[in-house]
Amino acid sequence: MLNNQKHLFDLPDNVTYLNGAYMAPQLKDCTEIGIQSVQRKCFPFTISPEDFFTERTLLKQRFATLIKASDYKNTAIIPSVSYGIANAAKNIPLQAGDEILVVDQQFPSNVYHWKEVAKQHGAIIKTISPPDTFTSRGKLWNEAILNSITQKTAVVAMPHIHWADGTLFDLKTIRKKTNQYQAALIIDGTQSVGALPFSATEIQPDALICGGYKWLLGPYSIGMAYYSDRFNEGTPIEHNWMNRLESENFSKLTQYQEHYQEKAGRYSVGESSNFVLTPMFIKALEQLIAWQPVQIQEYCKNISSEAVQTLRAKGCFIEDDNYRAHHLFGVYLPNTVNIDALKERFLDEQIYVSYRGDAIRISCNVYNTPEDFDHLLRCF
Ligand SMILES: Cc1ncc(COP(=O)(O)O)c(C=O)c1O
């Protein structure tokens, strides 16, 4: 069982940080590596041509380990979720009348690009809403998604958990249904991968796109993508020299190469050897691999379960435990609670949470304690 890990972060003691879904605090080790990496460029002669490739490969290997992908060559380094989604969307053929399924109030980086390609091809965005009731909400929402996948579905573009309230989507069953109709399954894992176990081998998504600065504990402006073999011959959204075959040989770069690096090698962003962000991100992923997402999830469950029960007893709605994550969940308040007064109280008490949709979004990680939840509860 995992113990509290706050000592590995720099969070001040007077701050109750329940907002990792907004932005994760940085591991001290990552800060250290970041500072060293910034300083390294004062001495450019210490950065060799090989260095452009080695750390980049290591980052891809670590991400593949974390998501249980059998081949790291199926991964790519991306600067944002919108970028990773754009690469996937560019390589999925669409016909007029095809449907692209998204869930209600999904994060925009996994919506806008689909709207764009839908417009270009005459496809239709179909949004699957939750039921109007809190009774069996997660179960009914999952069922609605499954029932909406038909022969018209070309793409299901959705998260593993909802970013606003942590509703858990049953990707394994959804994958089975998409396979029945040869529909692509494109997952935004930004709010789940790192804290919630994900296995690419088990789910077999067509693509999994993750921003790095939340549950992957990485710096801002770097993320990771997994593209299945169906994208091996695709066309990337940009054409960086490093993604071409034999780009390791600097003396031959202008013998322009038609061929790409293997598999998803073509989809990494230009300058993906980013000498500051890449080593920081590697360190963060190594820490997550050592902790294991399954243990992180268990830790978050242990520290929050009493508070969840108390909040429910106070009349708040929090999704059934079987249909939500434990590192991120929404609290829907009863009408009797004045949300503005509560927000003010949180500010006074230095309690950090988010407000997304109609829910207060609480997100915890291994730096939190049951006392953080006690502190939160005292404000109600
Ligand atoms: C579910 C989800 N996806 C993606 C992002 C970030 O997207 P991008 O990297 O395109 O800025 C966020 C940020 O809050 C998010 O919650």
Side-chain angles (χ1 to χ4, degrees):
M1 213 178 90
L2 209 52
N3 294 322
N4 180 270
Q5 304 289 327
K6 189 172 175 184
H7 59 285
L8 299 180
F9 295 84
D10 268 318
L11 282 170
D13 283 339
N14 59 342
V15 162
T16 299
Y17 196 69
L18 292 167
N19 211 9
Y22 164 72
M23 185 176 283
Q26 194 154 273
L27 284 156
K28 287 179 189 173
D29 279 355
C30 289
T31 308
E32 182 99 352
I33 289 177
I35 292 168
Q36 284 168 14
S37 304
V38 168
Q39 286 170 338
R40 191 173 172 206
K41 194 165 174 294
C42 299
F43 316 105
F45 42 84
T46 66
I47 301 173
S48 69
E50 292 79 54
D51 291 338
F52 279 74
F53 298 91
T54 41
E55 299 241 302
R56 192 173 174 258
T57 302
L58 198 58
L59 177 58
K60 290 164 63 147
Q61 287 169 336
R62 296 295 179 265
F63 181 64
T65 302
L66 185 72
I67 64 162
K68 297 188 165 58
S70 56
D71 189 350
Y72 80 89
K73 290 183 182 141
N74 284 107
T75 69
I77 301 168
I78 54 171
S80 64
V81 172
S82 54
Y83 186 100
I85 294 290
N87 265 327
K90 187 177 169 74
N91 291 288
I92 296 177
L94 289 172
Q95 315 284 336
D98 278 353
E99 289 180 354
I100 300 166
L101 260 57
V102 298
V103 301
D104 194 39
Q105 297 197 20
Q106 188 163 292
F107 193 82
S109 290
N110 195 15
V111 175
Y112 285 136
H113 201 89
W114 296 113
K115 278 184 182 267
E116 197 55 34
V117 292
K119 217 189 312 170
Q120 282 164 16
H121 298 279
I124 297 152
I125 301 283
K126 197 167 165 183
T127 304
I128 315 304
S129 297
D132 283 340
T133 166
F134 280 144
T135 314
S136 302
R137 185 175 181 270
K139 181 170 182 283
L140 293 174
W141 201 356
N142 270 279
E143 281 170 13
I145 294 167
L146 283 174
N147 291 335
S148 304
I149 301 169
T150 66
Q151 66 271 22
K152 287 190 193 155
T153 312
V155 181
V156 176
M158 62 180 295
H160 196 173
I161 69 161
H162 201 283
W163 73 297
D165 66 10
T167 308
L168 184 62
F169 299 112
D170 177 4
L171 293 183
K172 213 171 149 188
T173 311
I174 290 168
R175 172 77 283 188
K176 267 197 204 139
K177 191 85 191 272
T178 53
N179 280 344
Q180 230 173 297
Y181 298 107
Q182 283 96 46
L185 179 61
I186 310 295
I187 304 298
D188 176 358
T190 306
Q191 290 292 7
S192 54
V193 173
L196 184 73
F198 184 92
S199 165
T201 309
E202 192 186 358
I203 308 284
Q204 305 251 322
D206 290 285
L208 169 74
I209 315 293
C210 302
Y213 66 99
K214 296 172 190 282
W215 304 98
L216 294 179
L217 305 184
Y220 191 72
S221 297
I222 189 164
M224 291 302 297
Y226 164 89
Y227 297 105
S228 71
D229 285 344
R230 78 173 275 166
F231 292 104
N232 284 358
E233 303 303 321
T235 309
I237 55 171
E238 61 158 318
H239 293 274
N240 187 262
W241 61 272
M242 291 181 77
N243 296 346
R244 295 295 167 119
L245 201 62
E246 292 168 2
S247 50
E248 296 84 356
N249 188 346
F250 280 25
S251 64
K252 286 197 175 162
L253 289 182
T254 53
Q255 291 178 20
Y256 304 119
Q257 246 301 345
E258 223 183 288
H259 301 286
Y260 293 98
Q261 300 273 5
E262 270 182 90
K263 295 195 166 193
R266 66 191 62 197
Y267 296 116
S268 284
V269 65
E271 300 197 5
S272 61
S273 21
N274 194 318
F275 297 107
V276 177
L277 304 186
T278 304
M280 293 173 75
F281 203 14
I282 291 169
K283 187 75 198 172
L285 296 188
E286 286 176 348
Q287 181 61 83
L288 291 172
I289 291 163
W291 283 334
Q292 297 179 30
V294 67
Q295 303 247 40
I296 296 172
Q297 196 61 202
E298 195 57 30
Y299 180 88
C300 293
K301 186 178 178 179
N302 287 339
I303 60 167
S304 62
S305 60
E306 253 188 66
V308 165
Q309 279 177 35
T310 309
L311 287 168
R312 283 184 182 138
K314 285 180 190 293
C316 299
F317 171 74
I318 297 171
E319 184 54 72
D320 183 297
D321 291 359
N322 294 318
Y323 286 95
R324 70 170 176 93
H326 291 278
H327 67 284
L328 185 166
F329 53 91
V331 179
Y332 293 85
L333 300 174
N335 295 335
T336 49
V337 177
N338 179 340
I339 176 85
D340 293 328
L342 194 61
K343 278 185 187 176
E344 219 156 284
R345 188 86 200 272
F346 285 162
L347 264 181
D348 286 347
E349 294 284 327
Q350 299 219 58
I351 296 173
Y352 293 89
V353 295
S354 285
Y355 306 92
R356 296 286 180 270
D358 298 329
I360 298 179
R361 182 180 70 186
I362 294 174
S363 47
C364 55
N365 209 331
V366 293
Y367 43 77
N368 290 115
T369 58
E371 289 73 36
D372 289 335
F373 283 95
D374 291 344
H375 191 196
L376 180 94
L377 286 180
R378 285 201 297 279
C379 296
F380 278 78

